[in-house]
């Protein structure tokens, strides 16, 4: 067991009843949980729960220091404080710092990660982002964020279905999750960032990268998504001659002008957009935001997609004041990130959620409200949420053949590769372009011009032109769906919500270690 708390997370502290602001009904709190201020040993996670459920506030905190003084003496070796830090400042730091416990002993099929922290908007997305950025698969999750506290349990594996055993990775996960309250921003590291959105068409990327090569821009990294006939791309470039950020305003204006003309084409005069900056937030989250702003969810697809459409259902749970969102689709890595990212950017707060996988299927259920505490209020809004979540799932769907280009980087490489794709009628539906040292490692997903699978003879012809050893056909990563012991629960989706808020909260409290039984 890793982390500060070696026992149950927030366990053993009970309540005679939930606080007034809590949405948890009194009968759902175990009567075994007596609030006992005379306990001799109190873990910080337990103390945090006392603070939350007792409605402590900065005004009443001085009256409760007897609890924290006992905790201070028990954990004096855990954290060193500057001499100027007073008790209240220490308390605020402790309460705002997430507590993380990682356990590899509970389940044979997955690594268990528990998090509890003070709640703020976006903290769930930050936690999921940490896990998905490590290419971890989230097999199950139990989320509870009612009141002012945030408590989650994640069952994760690597992309091959194995538990996480590397100590350095486990330590990195623990440290990263423990710092999510600071927020995360990725800097461009001396690169100029180009943001492009517009109408997708066969050969568009070939024209884009040809323009950049002509303007002496070296593409270091890029991600490209397409959906419903629209394209969004983040391209990180530097000046070919100086190898540094492009700061010449005249050159930046020229880049913007020429790329805008390429994006406009003949049919996208108004909606084509390009912007230039020196820093960007998380790349994939930004791509979601760009496509959402472009309203890709409202548009009719031009290409033919072969993946099964996700099923999304939204209903209001009037008695509890929640809107209940069910998503059922094919499982894949980063699925939970994509859904939570869009709920967060649409200004919804997830109060409870259960995520489950069974074979190659994923079942996600969320209990949400607006930031002001109200549920979805109209039929148009409900339909918009359904459209947006379907789009969030589909944007990263891997359509077509996966090709991997690995070769020594050189000026104009991407322009040459994309031109070869275009000349052979290949359409790029998604791209992940990166440069490590002097090596270019690029992944492309390609279809024919109307979205159908590409003939194998055409693929071989393209490989011959680019280089058989440089361009390889890769299989999609297999997601190993091992069944977790004793946890085969599938959340259905249909005309009625199958799980009541009572059963959801009880199950989540059980998995969070707050009650002894979920029955």
């Amino acid at each position: 067991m890793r982390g500060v708390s070696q026992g149950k997370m927030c366990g053993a502290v009970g309540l005679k009843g939930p606080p007034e602001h809590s949405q948890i009904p009194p009968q759902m709190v175990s009567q075994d949980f007596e609030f006992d201020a005379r306990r001799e040993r109190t873990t910080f996670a337990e103390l945090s729960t006392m603070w939350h459920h007792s409605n402590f506030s900065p005004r009443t905190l001085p009256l409760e220091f007897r609890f924290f003084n006992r905790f201070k003496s028990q954990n004096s070796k855990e954290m060193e404080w500057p001499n100027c830090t007073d008790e209240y400042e220490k308390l605020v730091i402790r309460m705002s710092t997430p507590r993380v416990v990682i356990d590899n002993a509970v389940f044979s099929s997955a690594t268990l990660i528990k998090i509890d922290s003070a709640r703020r908007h976006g903290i769930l997305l930050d936690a999921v982002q940490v896990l998905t950025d490590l290419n971890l698969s989230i097999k199950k999750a139990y989320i509870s964020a009612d009141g002012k506290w945030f408590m989650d349990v994640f069952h994760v594996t690597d992309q091959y279905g194995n538990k996480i055993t590397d100590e350095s990775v486990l330590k990195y996960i623990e440290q990263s999750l423990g710092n999510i309250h600071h927020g995360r921003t990725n800097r461009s590291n001396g690169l100029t960032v180009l943001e492009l959105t517009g109408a997708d068409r066969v050969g568009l990327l070939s024209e884009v990268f040809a323009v950049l090569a002509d303007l002496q821009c070296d593409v270091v990294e890029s991600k490209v998504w397409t959906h419903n006939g629209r394209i969004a791309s983040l391209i990180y470039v530097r000046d070919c001659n100086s190898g540094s950020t492009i700061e010449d305003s005249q050159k930046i204006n020229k880049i913007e002008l020429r790329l805008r003309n390429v994006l406009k084409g003949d049919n996208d005069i108004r909606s084509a957009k390009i912007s230039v900056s020196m820093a960007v937030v998380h790349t994939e989250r930004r791509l979601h935001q760009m496509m959402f702003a472009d309203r890709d969810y409202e548009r009719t697809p031009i290409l033919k997609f072969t993946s099964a459409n996700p099923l999304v259902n939204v209903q209001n749970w009037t008695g509890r004041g929640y809107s209940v969102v069910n998503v059922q689709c094919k499982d894949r890595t980063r699925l939970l990130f994509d859904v939570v990212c869009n709920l967060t950017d649409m200004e919804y707060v997830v109060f409870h959620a259960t995520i489950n996988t069974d074979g190659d299927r994923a079942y996600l259920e969320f209990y949400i409200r607006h930031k002001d505490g109200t549920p979805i209020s109209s039929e148009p809004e409900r339909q918009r949420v359904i459209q947006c979540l379907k789009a969030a799932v589909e944007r990263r769907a891997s359509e077509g053949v996966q090709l991997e280009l690995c070769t020594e980087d050189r000026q104009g490489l991407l322009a040459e590769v994309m031109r070869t794709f275009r000349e052979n009628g290949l359409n790029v539906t998604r791209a992940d372009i990166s440069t490590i040292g002097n090596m270019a490692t690029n992944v492309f997903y390609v279809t024919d011009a109307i979205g159908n699978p590409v003939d194998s003879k055409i693929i071989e012809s393209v490989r011959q032109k680019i280089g058989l050893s440089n361009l390889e056909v890769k299989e999609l990563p297999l997601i190993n769906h091992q069944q977790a012991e004793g946890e085969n629960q599938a959340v259905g989706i249909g005309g009625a919500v199958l799980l009541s808020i009572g059963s959801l909260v009880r199950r989540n409290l059980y998995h969070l270690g707050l009650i002894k039984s979920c029955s």
Side-chain angles (χ1 to χ4, degrees):
M1 181 81 69
R2 299 178 63 86
V4 175
S5 175
Q6 300 297 319
K8 288 184 178 179
M9 209 173 171
C10 300
V13 173
L15 310 169
K16 294 180 180 179
E20 292 180 0
H21 63 265
S22 174
Q23 299 298 320
I24 303 176
Q27 64 270 26
M28 294 178 189
V29 181
S30 171
Q31 296 303 314
D32 295 334
F33 285 13
E34 293 289 337
F35 190 100
D36 186 359
R38 295 186 300 273
R39 297 181 51 168
E40 291 301 322
R41 294 186 60 81
T42 305
T43 67
F44 177 71
E46 294 169 352
L47 192 55
S48 302
T49 305
M50 290 183 188
W51 178 76
H52 164 56
H53 287 296
S54 299
N55 289 320
F56 286 7
S57 68
R59 293 182 180 180
T60 60
L61 280 173
L63 301 177
E64 307 301 332
F65 272 160
R66 59 184 180 275
F67 297 124
F68 295 94
N69 287 335
R70 186 187 308 125
F71 172 73
K72 176 183 176 183
S73 61
Q74 176 186 336
N75 297 275
S76 59
K77 296 181 180 180
E78 176 187 332
M79 186 179 297
E80 294 183 0
W81 303 99
N83 294 330
C84 60
T85 305
D86 62 25
E87 293 299 313
Y88 175 71
E89 290 176 324
K90 295 177 185 178
L91 172 61
V92 171
I93 294 172
R94 289 185 182 279
M95 298 305 298
S96 63
T97 301
R99 313 298 291 180
V100 181
V101 176
I102 302 178
D103 194 344
N104 259 328
V106 177
F107 299 105
S108 61
S109 57
T111 298
L112 194 68
I113 300 176
K114 301 180 182 181
I115 310 168
D116 75 308
S117 173
R119 182 168 66 85
R120 64 167 173 79
H121 184 60
I123 192 171
L124 173 60
L125 175 59
D126 291 341
V128 173
Q129 179 180 311
V130 168
L131 301 178
T132 54
D133 282 351
L134 290 170
N135 289 322
L136 302 181
S137 295
I138 300 174
K139 299 302 181 183
K140 296 180 187 294
Y142 307 93
I143 296 161
S144 182
D146 240 336
K148 299 180 181 179
W149 209 246
F150 166 87
M151 292 175 282
D152 291 352
V153 174
F154 298 99
H155 297 218
V156 303
T157 67
D158 63 19
Q159 60 182 329
Y160 303 106
N162 302 315
K163 295 170 66 172
I164 314 303
T165 57
D166 189 313
E167 283 295 320
S168 62
V169 175
L170 293 174
K171 184 175 181 180
Y172 178 82
I173 293 173
E174 184 179 325
Q175 292 176 342
S176 298
L177 291 175
N179 291 323
I180 56 176
H181 65 293
H182 294 306
R184 293 159 57 91
T185 300
N186 289 347
R187 294 293 174 180
S188 58
N189 295 325
L191 303 176
T192 302
V193 186
L194 310 178
E195 296 185 358
L196 287 69
T197 55
D200 187 28
R201 66 178 186 272
V202 176
L204 174 60
L205 288 178
S206 173
E207 297 178 42
V208 167
F209 289 120
V211 166
L212 293 176
D214 184 57
L215 293 175
Q216 301 296 301
C217 297
D218 182 22
V219 178
V220 179
E221 183 180 345
S222 177
K223 284 186 182 292
V224 180
W225 287 0
T226 62
H227 179 247
N228 282 358
R230 308 298 294 176
I231 186 170
S233 177
L234 283 175
I235 305 176
Y236 297 78
V237 299
R238 62 190 174 198
D239 185 85
C240 285
N241 299 320
S242 66
S244 60
T245 304
I246 300 173
E247 298 179 345
D248 185 342
S249 60
Q250 291 186 347
K251 184 170 184 177
I252 290 176
N253 291 337
K254 185 180 295 185
I255 292 172
E256 288 183 322
L257 177 62
R258 291 189 58 178
L259 287 181
R260 186 174 289 110
N261 290 334
V262 168
L263 288 172
K264 286 180 179 179
D266 298 326
N267 303 311
D268 196 24
I269 297 176
R270 293 185 178 180
S271 63
K273 297 179 181 178
I274 177 173
S275 65
V276 180
S277 67
M278 301 302 165
V280 66
V281 295
H282 187 267
T283 301
E284 293 176 347
R285 181 172 184 183
R286 182 60 187 148
L287 285 172
H288 275 301
Q289 292 171 337
M290 291 164 61
M291 300 209 85
F292 177 76
D294 193 50
R295 305 177 79 88
D296 67 314
Y297 54 87
E298 293 181 344
R299 301 176 185 269
T300 302
I302 296 176
L303 301 180
K304 175 183 175 183
F305 290 94
T306 58
S307 294
N309 292 328
L311 301 176
V312 180
N313 184 54
V314 179
Q315 292 186 344
N316 274 357
W317 190 273
T318 307
R320 303 297 182 189
Y322 291 108
S323 294
V324 186
V325 178
N326 283 279
V327 179
Q328 179 179 332
C329 61
K330 185 177 180 181
D331 189 27
R332 60 169 173 77
T333 56
R334 300 177 184 267
L335 175 62
L336 181 59
F337 171 84
D338 292 338
V339 175
V340 173
C341 180
N342 280 265
L343 287 174
T344 303
D345 288 338
M346 288 189 290
E347 301 293 319
Y348 293 107
V349 178
V350 176
F351 285 86
H352 301 283
T354 299
I355 288 80
N356 193 20
T357 58
D358 184 12
D360 66 345
R361 304 297 295 174
Y363 306 87
L364 302 86
E365 184 169 64
F366 303 90
Y367 287 73
I368 67 171
R369 292 176 181 151
H370 292 105
K371 290 178 69 174
D372 64 5
T374 59
I376 292 171
S377 58
S378 67
E379 180 60 21
E381 182 185 3
R382 189 180 78 88
Q383 292 298 327
R384 180 171 175 268
V385 171
I386 291 174
Q387 285 182 321
C388 290
L389 292 184
K390 284 185 176 180
V393 174
E394 292 170 349
R395 287 170 192 152
R396 206 197 293 265
S398 301
E399 296 290 343
V401 179
Q402 180 184 357
L403 301 177
E404 182 175 301
L405 174 69
C406 186
T407 185
E408 186 174 352
D409 190 28
R410 66 178 188 278
Q411 185 178 353
L413 172 64
L414 276 173
E416 294 178 16
V417 172
M418 290 300 179
R419 184 176 65 249
T420 303
F421 286 172
R422 182 189 63 190
E423 291 171 348
N424 286 270
L426 301 185
N427 183 66
V428 179
T429 62
R430 187 156 66 94
D432 191 346
I433 297 164
S434 60
T435 305
I436 303 176
N438 65 340
M439 296 297 295
T441 303
N442 306 329
V443 177
F444 307 99
Y445 294 85
V446 298
T447 67
D448 68 8
I450 59 173
N452 290 321
V454 182
D455 188 294
S456 59
K457 294 181 179 178
I458 296 178
I459 293 293
E460 287 305 308
S461 175
V462 170
R463 292 186 62 213
Q464 289 282 353
K465 294 176 181 178
I466 295 176
L468 292 176
S469 61
N470 297 333
L471 186 66
E472 297 184 358
V473 179
K474 293 290 185 179
E475 295 291 336
L476 296 178
L478 296 177
I479 301 179
N480 189 345
H481 299 278
Q482 300 175 345
Q483 294 184 344
E485 299 176 358
E487 292 185 293
N488 293 324
Q489 302 171 358
V491 180
I493 176 171
V497 179
L498 300 182
L499 285 177
S500 69
I501 182 64
S503 63
L504 174 71
V505 173
R506 276 193 293 268
R507 185 169 63 251
N508 281 1
L509 289 175
Y510 170 73
H511 287 286
L512 290 167
L514 293 177
I515 60 176
K516 297 178 180 178
S517 173
C518 60
S519 60

